[in-house]
Amino acid sequence: MFKFWLFLHFTGISIWVGALLAVTFILLMMRKNLGSKESSTIVKKMTRVVNMLVHPSAFFVLISGVFMIISMNFGDASKPFYLNFMERFGGGAILFTIIAISFVGRKLVKKLNAQEKDGHVIKHSSSLSNYIAMMLTSVACVLATIFIVSFRF
């Protein structure tokens, strides 16, 4: 059963980080060309893609990680540092991803909708920059967790 959870864990991490990086690079390239209603619509669709791919995959990583830790059955023995780090920092990275990216993405979509209603289209939004920064921070947290766990510090 452990191997099944490990498979789900790696699959979830791959989808989570891959989707974040792909959407981040697309938004970084689009940031310079914002100014039309079509590009604003694309940005809103990209936030929807993040919500559909990243959040469920991050949740699967959390659930599979919990079941893997439970199946290791440490009992009263202390866990190695890398497992404690993976539990605490990795779990925090998942919660950060789900909460922060959802919050900032919703703020970005509201700002784009308000700009469209007024007839203005934004050229460069700080909300878009914040959204990109949150996604890159999430990727950095995942990569830090992978680094610590893979070297088993």
Side-chain angles (χ1 to χ4, degrees):
M1 195 65 180
F2 183 83
K3 291 179 182 179
F4 173 73
W5 293 118
L6 187 63
F7 171 75
L8 282 181
H9 202 69
F10 287 154
T11 303
I13 290 172
S14 301
I15 294 170
W16 179 18
V17 174
L20 280 176
L21 285 174
V23 170
T24 301
F25 288 133
I26 290 169
L27 290 178
L28 280 171
M29 289 187 286
M30 283 187 60
R31 187 173 59 176
K32 296 177 183 174
N33 298 324
L34 280 179
S36 67
K37 187 174 181 178
E38 293 81 19
S39 61
S40 176
T41 304
I42 292 172
V43 170
K44 288 190 274 186
K45 286 184 181 181
M46 295 306 287
T47 60
R48 203 171 312 131
V49 167
V50 167
N51 290 337
M52 288 178 6
L53 284 177
V54 172
H55 299 327
S57 63
F59 183 72
F60 279 125
V61 170
L62 181 66
I63 295 301
S64 63
V66 167
F67 282 119
M68 285 191 318
I69 291 292
I70 289 171
S71 68
M72 286 181 184
N73 196 13
F74 279 100
D76 291 335
S78 64
K79 290 182 262 189
F81 170 74
Y82 72 93
L83 287 177
N84 281 326
F85 186 82
M86 183 175 58
E87 276 183 44
R88 294 187 178 122
F89 190 76
I94 292 169
L95 294 176
F96 171 79
T97 299
I98 292 172
I99 294 168
I101 291 179
S102 296
F103 178 73
V104 176
R106 187 176 307 122
K107 187 177 176 182
L108 173 64
V109 169
K110 283 182 182 179
K111 189 170 186 176
L112 289 172
N113 286 335
Q115 293 283 337
E116 286 178 6
K117 284 182 183 177
D118 293 340
H120 302 97
V121 182
I122 56 173
K123 295 258 186 225
H124 178 72
S125 172
S126 62
S127 296
L128 182 60
S129 297
N130 289 341
Y131 191 62
I132 291 170
M134 289 297 154
M135 289 193 292
L136 288 176
T137 303
S138 177
V139 169
C141 289
V142 172
L143 292 179
T145 304
I146 290 172
F147 179 77
I148 295 294
V149 172
S150 64
F151 283 105
R152 296 185 179 208
F153 289 119

